[in-house]
Amino acid sequence: MTAKAHTLSAVPDPDALIADMGARARAAAKLLAVAPTATKAAALHAAADQLRIRADAILDANRRDMADGRAAGLSAAMLDRLRLDDGRLNGIASAVEAVAALADPVGSEIDRSVRPNGMALSRVRVPLGVVGIIYESRPNVTADAAVLGLMAGNAVILRGGSEAVHSNRAIHAALAAGLAKTGLPADAVQLVPVQDRAAVGAMLRAQGLIDIIIPRGGKSLVARVQDEARVPVLAHLDGINHLYIDGAADPAKAVALAVNAKMRRTGVCGATETILIDRAYPAPLAIIDALVAAGCEVRGDKNVVGLSPHVTPASANDWDCEYLDAIVSVAMVDGLKGALAHIDAHSSKHTDAVVTEDAAVAERFLSEVDSAIVMHNASTQFADGGEFGLGAEIGIATGRLHARGPVALEGLTTYKWLVRGSGQTRP
């Protein structure tokens, strides 16, 4: 963070704060847009080095956030999102290095054609400009968003949640130190230095300074951003994800996938929240028992309640709930048709999966489920940019415009048309 930004932490006017940060970000974005790939990659490697060098300071900061979170009564799932340790921090640094190794999208040609009059047309990728990221709880987003934005030629303004304030500041300091070592502008990655919610409102009103806002957090945050934003929004909505176990599912796969999709990490957006079981599936109780044995609370419809005394009745709200906890809702459905109807009514269009050995069922599911990520015989926990080979992600976009699914380098670019003529005039 620059000295000027430190001074601004005491400025009471959030609009003036964001206006200043936005102006500096726009100046940095002009330089980043034409920065050589090698320079951007070197900056990311330097940032990864600094994350490792400063590991003790970052983990100390995270321990402060964890202590404050426990005192504030954060849920176990929220604390899991917040927690850093040596392994997770090294994973963050490794993700930064993975992004540095990816192909630079800036300047890449999407397509080209030649018109009958001889004009040559092409579309090439260009940065979005200044990207504002508003996020909660997860300090890894500070690094992911910063390095993805930078590698795609964008300046980034980060506004993290108060739960992770100390962790975010320590990670940002490491990133800034990495930038300084390679000569890229410090203003390329800025962290809003105040936790005042009014600063969020100022970002949402920053037309002409911020080109796109990406919210990453709970339903209330995303709703506020969508309601108040005066700049374009790339939304990451709830992860109300479904796992449909077809009558032709392999029982061993069904059990393993159900437990992993729900319980590997319950607080991530790729966690399964509802399991649908075909009435024709021969071993539904084995799935329920495995979930219970793994420590999961099972809420079921009347058919599932009848299978086990460990199942409690689901309410109408359960089918539309992102638990982010060791709770799952389970329903019996009438085959693929019933599963598709349930998913259409309740999915948040994030990630939905089918378990089946019937290729025709799998292809229908993949074709007809209208979600950003649709899977066959794989855990929904793979809904992650790193697992998709994107290095990292800035979020999972669940809308239809611009980008969908894990948003990484390509999703942080747009394109422009280049027209090369030889004197053509239009009649």
Side-chain angles (χ1 to χ4, degrees):
M1 188 178 298
T2 64
K4 189 172 185 180
H6 277 302
T7 303
L8 282 168
S9 64
V11 172
D13 181 356
D15 289 303
L17 169 64
I18 298 303
D20 181 84
M21 295 180 72
R24 290 186 284 120
R26 294 212 76 79
K30 289 182 180 296
L31 299 176
L32 287 172
V34 296
T37 300
T39 300
K40 294 185 290 186
L44 267 56
H45 282 293
D49 290 343
Q50 288 297 314
L51 286 168
R52 294 190 174 102
I53 290 168
R54 297 169 181 241
D56 289 343
I58 294 170
L59 294 177
D60 283 345
N62 185 250
R63 282 189 280 271
R64 291 179 64 188
D65 288 331
M66 289 290 291
D68 290 345
R70 293 188 191 97
L74 291 184
S75 69
M78 291 292 285
L79 288 170
D80 179 63
R81 286 186 166 203
L82 176 60
R83 181 176 62 86
L84 294 176
D85 55 25
D86 287 326
R88 287 188 179 183
L89 185 56
N90 187 61
I92 292 171
S94 295
V96 172
E97 291 168 334
V99 172
L102 295 174
D104 187 349
V106 178
S108 64
E109 189 173 77
I110 300 169
D111 52 42
R112 66 165 60 194
S113 62
V114 178
R115 301 298 298 152
N117 65 2
M119 286 195 314
L121 277 62
S122 62
R123 286 190 301 157
V124 298
R125 294 201 174 277
V126 296
L128 291 171
V130 176
V131 180
I133 319 291
I134 302 170
Y135 56 104
E136 298 172 336
S137 303
R138 297 180 68 172
N140 65 291
V141 176
T142 302
D144 290 350
V147 302
L148 285 167
L150 188 148
M151 193 64 182
N154 302 290
V156 180
I157 297 177
L158 303 162
R159 200 286 186 179
S162 58
E163 306 92 343
V165 60
H166 301 106
S167 305
N168 290 339
R169 288 173 178 169
I171 290 171
H172 175 257
L175 300 176
L179 290 181
K181 289 182 177 296
T182 52
L184 288 180
D187 291 332
V189 178
Q190 299 178 63
L191 180 69
V192 176
V194 296
Q195 293 306 120
D196 188 344
R197 286 172 58 87
V200 173
M203 290 179 69
L204 301 181
R205 295 188 295 271
Q207 292 169 292
L209 293 173
I210 296 176
D211 293 291
I212 192 167
I213 292 283
I214 303 176
R216 186 166 176 178
K219 184 181 295 185
S220 61
L221 169 65
V222 176
R224 181 190 177 191
V225 169
Q226 290 181 316
D227 288 344
E228 297 182 20
R230 298 294 179 266
V231 296
V233 174
L234 187 61
H236 171 129
L237 299 180
D238 292 356
I240 304 175
N241 308 320
H242 297 76
L243 185 73
Y244 167 54
I245 298 170
D246 182 57
D250 175 273
K253 287 181 186 176
V255 170
L257 289 172
V259 173
N260 183 267
K262 175 67 255 186
M263 296 298 291
R264 173 190 163 271
R265 285 188 69 185
T266 61
V268 298
C269 65
T272 285
E273 306 292 22
T274 296
I275 296 174
L276 305 174
I277 304 176
D278 186 353
R279 294 183 196 278
Y281 180 72
L285 182 57
I287 294 169
I288 304 303
D289 288 344
L291 288 164
V292 171
C296 187
E297 177 186 338
V298 179
R299 301 176 184 177
D301 67 6
K302 62 182 181 180
N303 299 295
V304 177
V305 168
L307 292 174
S308 168
H310 298 293
V311 178
T312 57
S315 70
N317 293 331
D318 279 307
W319 312 114
D320 299 300
C321 185
E322 184 184 26
Y323 300 113
L324 298 175
D325 203 347
I327 306 169
V328 68
S329 52
V330 182
M332 304 292 284
V333 294
D334 292 320
L336 178 60
K337 182 177 180 181
L340 292 174
H342 185 105
I343 292 170
D344 187 57
H346 300 285
S347 174
S348 61
K349 312 300 184 186
H350 188 295
T351 301
D352 296 297
V354 59
V355 184
T356 187
E357 299 304 305
D358 186 324
V361 168
E363 290 307 312
R364 269 198 68 193
F365 189 93
L366 293 171
S367 174
E368 295 185 30
V369 172
D370 182 27
S371 293
I373 303 170
V374 189
M375 298 179 165
H376 171 218
N377 284 353
S379 170
T380 60
Q381 295 265 343
F382 283 107
D384 175 85
E387 294 296 331
F388 279 30
L390 304 177
E393 70 178 37
I394 212 162
I396 306 274
T398 52
R400 291 179 173 276
L401 298 180
H402 179 67
R404 206 174 189 206
V407 178
L409 292 181
E410 185 176 298
L412 292 174
T413 62
T414 182
Y415 61 82
K416 65 181 178 183
W417 289 90
L418 302 181
V419 181
R420 293 179 171 88
S422 55
Q424 288 89 343
T425 58
R426 184 171 179 176

